[in-house]
């Protein structure tokens, strides 16, 4: 099996794991999950309603369905530096990621996602 084939299998596995986690988060605490995942109520409704067969079909993609929330290398560096205590790191991460949700909301106009970043 080639390296590319292994990578595609890994991407598909990550996608399915991510989608199952998304459903679990939404089922356990919808409001918190929507905030953490930076998704709308309509998207949450859609994701929760998908049966496992549809999740598997959706996961069977060569593109990652999840994305990295930190958009700036300095954010990542500040969270990974040894200078902060662990509790402070978690608080800082929450603040940085919460700020990303506001950026996401600003990109949405009239219920339609704007892709020109």
């Amino acid at each position: 099996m080639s390296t590319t084939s292994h990578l595609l299998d890994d991407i598909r596995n990550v996608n399915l794991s991510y989608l199952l986690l998304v459903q679990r988060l939404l089922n356990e605490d919808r409001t918190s999950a929507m905030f953490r995942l930076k998704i709308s109520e309509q998207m949450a409704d859609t994701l929760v309603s998908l049966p496992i067969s549809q999740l598997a079909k959706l996961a069977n993609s060569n593109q990652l369905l999840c994305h990295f929330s930190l958009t700036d290398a300095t954010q990542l560096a500040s969270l990974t530096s040894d200078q902060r205590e662990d509790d402070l790191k978690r608080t800082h991460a929450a603040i940085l990621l919460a700020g990303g949700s506001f950026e996401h909301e600003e990109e949405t106009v009239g219920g339609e996602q704007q892709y020109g970043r």
Side-chain angles (χ1 to χ4, degrees):
M1 197 179 251
S2 71
T3 302
T4 302
S5 181
H6 284 296
L7 287 174
L8 291 176
D9 286 343
D10 289 344
I11 288 171
R12 291 177 183 126
N13 288 333
V14 167
N15 283 342
L16 184 57
S17 294
Y18 176 71
L19 290 169
L20 291 170
L21 176 62
V22 165
Q23 279 193 334
R24 189 171 129 213
L25 289 170
L26 288 167
N27 285 325
E28 289 180 8
D29 185 348
R30 182 183 180 90
T31 304
S32 177
M34 288 172 52
F35 175 77
R36 287 180 176 169
L37 297 167
K38 297 175 181 62
I39 61 173
S40 67
E41 192 164 334
Q42 182 181 9
M43 181 64 83
D45 291 341
T46 302
L47 287 166
V48 164
S49 70
L50 292 174
I52 189 70
S53 60
Q54 291 291 65
L55 290 179
K57 186 177 179 180
L58 184 58
N60 194 24
S61 169
N62 63 355
Q63 298 294 314
L64 282 171
L65 298 176
C66 56
H67 72 280
F68 200 67
S69 293
L70 299 175
T71 58
D72 186 355
T74 56
Q75 291 175 338
L76 180 60
S78 69
L79 292 173
T80 58
S81 68
D82 292 331
Q83 298 172 1
R84 299 178 189 263
E85 297 294 323
D86 286 339
D87 288 340
L88 186 56
K89 282 184 184 180
R90 282 191 289 274
T91 302
H92 190 225
I95 291 168
L96 289 174
L97 295 174
S101 69
F102 291 117
E103 290 173 10
H104 175 74
E105 289 173 11
E106 290 172 0
E107 293 171 3
T108 305
V109 177
E112 295 182 12
Q113 185 71 29
Q114 303 297 307
Y115 292 99
R117 288 188 183 195

